Amino acid sequence: MHPILLVFVSLLGIYLLQIVVEFWRTIHNVGHLSGPRLLFDHERFLVWAIAKLLPPIPYVSRGGSWMLRTKHQDFAAAGQDATAMVTMIPWPSAVIYLADAAAIKEVATFRAKFPKPVDMYEALFAFGGNIIASEGEDWKRYRTIAAPAFSERNTRLVWDETIRIMFDLFDNVWGDSPEIVLDHCVDITLPIALFVIGVAGFGRRVTWTSDLSVPPGHQMPFKDALHIVSTNLILKMGLPNWAMKLTERTRRVNLAFDELRQYMVEMVNARRSAETREERHDLFNGLLDAADDNPDGSVAITEQELIGNMFIFLLAGHETTAHTLCFTFALLALHPDEQERLYQQIKGILVDLNGMPTYEDMNRFTLSMAVLYETLRMFPPVSAIPKRAAEDTSLTVSNADGGETTFPIPSGTRVDYQVPGLHYNPKYWKDPHTFRPERFLGEWPRNAFLPFSSGARGCLGRRFFETESVAAITMMILKYRVEVKDEPEFVGETFEQRYARITAFDQLLNTAPRRVPLVFKRR
């Protein structure tokens, strides 16, 4: 054998031996927790991208969107509500997944022991530092700046604007048409969410008939730029600049990033250059004030952080809401009895309100909120909420024998809340695979419901999201009956087949419906 080849083979052999030894050591260090054992680390972009295209292959790939696809299965197979995924290449590592409400609460409570691994959120730094992709003092600073915008006054604005936007849709877009056929429901829910975050978050009011043309100085509409960026963040962050110029799709993604940045800069300049400074209570005003000079010459956030936080709130208030509303209408179409029950409650409440519910009436629409929560339980926007152990520690979870299992967690190990595993855990939810909104009308296990995360890092815009969603669901079901679109190629399918088709999903930055063909019939 050639000496150079011999050296190469020897080094490779040593490396592989070290890998095998460290692999078994890693399994031992997490207490031999059951769970997937994979050849490749799926956190690497290229491996992750390939894995999304592959079916589940033992020891190689879990397949695309595996957490929401498998739900609680891994934990049931392990016999306890904690599992460990251990990967081998490029170097052995473990990720612990939790579906135990008490253990998750403990992790959320001890934030110093389990900080957020901000290095995993690199894609969200596309436009600058922000409240989601931060920890420690930076996070506290961003939250202090943004929190006042999510006030009672702003929440009332969200309700009023959502009602206005829905009436605008009914009166000026759908008009007198007895039925509206949509090939994909997000064609309606995306604009609804964009219009609400635009006006209540950034004072940018648009209508269904505006913003259809490209404004001077731009090459695509604002809503298109935002949608393309939000669905291609990982692609943009994972590929080098030269690769982003190779195909028509990647060039359009590049253009969308440039366009969205230009739109946000224009929004900043327009608000700053206004002759009179209006008293506003939207999120944008708080961010803008923080970026302006203080008397001592300091600023609370930099210009780049201003743009970064604008982007995050646009993203969170747009895609997540739109996809959740789409899943909601899909589930109601698939379950006409539940839809009728919801309609009857809404109609009964509105008898006294002349068809115009006010913000003060929101809490009366208990079933609208229950439908929203059941949708979030079944299709949580985010499947994993990652933390990282800052020190050697341990956790205890329940097991199938009715007892408890305690296992070690070495410093540096990732610990994720596995949200679908928790949301489909039969210990907390009876018949977890069944759409049953009424489970949220009485007492329910609040610690086992994590669509908005948990603890101090819980979603700052939760009330914004809930208010918008309840208003949109209530108005839509009041005016229209929702059905699944009949398509000849699917004649004869069973309910289970139809359910799987209509609720098919992908997990990108958030859980996104693939295609939801619906018909909205005027009542």
Side-chain angles (χ1 to χ4, degrees):
M1 183 180 292
H2 193 281
I4 295 179
L5 181 59
L6 181 61
V7 170
F8 173 76
V9 171
S10 298
L11 292 175
L12 179 61
I14 294 171
Y15 168 70
L16 292 177
L17 179 60
Q18 289 178 323
I19 286 283
V20 171
V21 171
E22 186 61 28
F23 181 74
W24 290 111
R25 181 181 293 138
T26 301
I27 293 173
H28 171 76
N29 287 345
V30 294
H32 294 273
L33 276 177
S34 299
R37 307 294 186 248
L38 300 177
L39 191 60
F40 299 104
D41 182 353
H42 279 38
E43 292 304 315
R44 308 286 169 166
F45 173 76
L46 184 59
V47 176
W48 173 85
I50 294 172
K52 284 184 66 64
L53 302 175
L54 294 174
I57 302 173
Y59 307 110
V60 176
S61 171
R62 308 263 13 231
S65 309
W66 68 268
M67 291 187 204
L68 190 48
R69 180 168 43 78
T70 60
K71 301 178 176 66
H72 191 258
Q73 292 174 9
D74 287 351
F75 302 98
Q80 59 200 15
D81 286 330
T83 62
M85 177 187 288
V86 183
T87 56
M88 183 175 285
I89 297 175
W91 192 251
S93 63
V95 179
I96 293 173
Y97 294 103
L98 300 177
D100 183 279
I104 289 173
K105 184 176 181 180
E106 180 178 347
V107 172
T109 301
F110 295 99
R111 290 180 52 224
K113 187 187 292 186
F114 295 99
K116 187 173 190 173
V118 294
D119 57 293
M120 291 184 59
Y121 290 79
E122 182 180 354
L124 298 183
F125 280 102
F127 294 95
N130 58 76
I131 192 170
I132 293 182
S134 61
E135 186 58 286
E137 293 303 316
D138 283 341
W139 173 78
K140 292 179 183 177
R141 180 163 52 91
Y142 297 145
R143 187 177 180 88
T144 299
I145 293 164
F150 294 99
S151 62
E152 189 74 8
R153 184 177 298 189
N154 185 258
T155 306
R156 181 186 300 274
L157 175 63
V158 171
W159 178 274
D160 292 343
E161 290 296 332
T162 306
I163 298 295
R164 179 191 65 80
I165 288 163
M166 297 304 292
F167 272 115
D168 188 26
L169 170 66
F170 301 152
D171 297 340
N172 300 319
V173 181
W174 289 358
D176 296 328
S177 299
E179 66 177 39
I180 304 298
V181 181
L182 298 178
D183 190 59
H184 193 356
C185 186
V186 295
D187 292 341
I188 286 299
T189 60
L190 278 170
I192 291 171
L194 178 61
F195 296 166
V196 174
I197 189 62
V199 65
F202 296 91
R204 189 179 189 274
R205 174 173 282 183
V206 293
T207 67
W208 290 91
T209 54
S210 67
D211 206 29
L212 299 179
S213 59
V214 180
H218 287 275
Q219 299 181 58
M220 66 174 60
F222 172 75
K223 61 182 178 65
D224 291 351
L226 178 59
H227 180 61
I228 292 171
V229 166
S230 60
T231 53
N232 290 278
L233 261 178
I234 297 175
L235 176 70
K236 170 73 171 175
M237 296 301 104
L239 294 179
N241 289 334
W242 61 265
M244 292 297 295
K245 301 175 183 178
L246 294 179
T247 69
E248 182 178 349
R249 178 191 172 186
T250 54
R251 287 192 293 271
R252 185 163 174 78
V253 171
N254 258 348
L255 175 62
F257 271 80
D258 293 340
E259 286 283 297
L260 183 58
R261 182 180 296 277
Q262 183 180 342
Y263 275 117
M264 290 190 290
V265 169
E266 289 171 354
M267 290 165 66
V268 171
N269 292 339
R271 184 72 69 92
R272 280 179 170 162
S273 62
E275 292 185 4
T276 58
R277 186 71 175 266
E278 298 180 44
E279 183 182 0
R280 296 176 182 262
H281 302 277
D282 57 28
L283 171 65
F284 187 25
N285 214 52
L287 294 174
L288 200 58
D289 286 343
D292 290 337
D293 291 341
N294 292 322
D296 62 359
S298 65
V299 292
I301 58 174
T302 65
E303 286 292 302
Q304 190 172 15
E305 290 173 326
L306 169 63
I307 298 297
N309 279 288
M310 286 176 63
F311 165 67
I312 285 299
F313 285 112
L314 279 169
L315 176 67
H318 176 231
E319 292 282 331
T320 301
T321 305
H323 293 159
T324 298
L325 286 174
C326 184
F327 280 120
T328 300
F329 295 135
L331 288 167
L332 289 172
L334 288 163
H335 299 87
D337 291 346
E338 293 291 350
Q339 184 179 168
E340 180 62 20
R341 184 181 177 194
L342 173 60
Y343 170 67
Q344 292 299 331
Q345 188 196 67
I346 294 170
K347 188 174 69 171
I349 295 170
L350 290 179
V351 166
D352 303 327
L353 303 177
N354 298 317
M356 183 62 75
T358 66
Y359 176 62
E360 287 76 14
D361 304 310
M362 177 179 167
N363 290 336
R364 298 176 64 180
F365 297 101
T366 54
L367 197 49
S368 295
M369 182 70 85
V371 166
L372 172 65
Y373 275 12
E374 180 70 339
T375 303
L376 289 168
R377 184 190 68 81
M378 300 185 77
F379 297 94
V382 177
S383 288
I385 301 173
K387 305 294 178 182
R388 180 168 285 137
E391 59 188 59
D392 291 342
T393 185
S394 63
L395 283 173
T396 299
V397 298
S398 58
N399 59 43
D401 298 327
E404 295 182 332
T405 300
T406 300
F407 54 92
I409 303 176
S411 175
T413 302
R414 231 181 72 204
V415 180
D416 286 15
Y417 311 159
Q418 216 270 44
V419 181
L422 181 70
H423 284 189
Y424 284 83
N425 190 334
K427 183 173 73 174
Y428 307 113
W429 308 99
K430 182 181 178 181
D431 301 325
H433 294 269
T434 303
F435 179 65
R436 293 179 57 240
E438 64 269 20
R439 72 173 84 240
F440 288 98
L441 294 179
E443 292 297 319
W444 51 276
R446 296 176 186 272
N447 289 335
F449 184 63
L450 289 184
F452 307 102
S453 192
S454 178
R457 292 298 305 234
C459 177
L460 192 59
R462 175 174 182 167
R463 187 64 175 168
F464 188 116
F465 172 88
E466 291 177 344
T467 301
E468 172 187 357
S469 299
V470 168
I473 293 167
T474 298
M475 295 310 299
M476 185 66 79
I477 298 304
L478 174 67
K479 298 291 185 180
Y480 291 86
R481 185 173 68 254
V482 189
E483 298 177 359
V484 175
K485 176 184 175 183
D486 288 328
E487 297 175 290
E489 60 266 41
F490 300 114
V491 171
E493 66 182 346
T494 65
F495 174 80
E496 290 74 18
Q497 291 170 330
R498 172 170 283 204
Y499 181 92
R501 174 171 64 88
I502 298 300
T503 63
F505 55 84
D506 287 310
Q507 287 180 296
L508 304 171
L509 283 179
N510 56 60
T511 306
R514 288 183 183 172
R515 176 175 174 265
V516 181
L518 299 179
V519 179
F520 292 79
K521 295 185 177 181
R522 181 180 285 275
R523 294 189 186 274

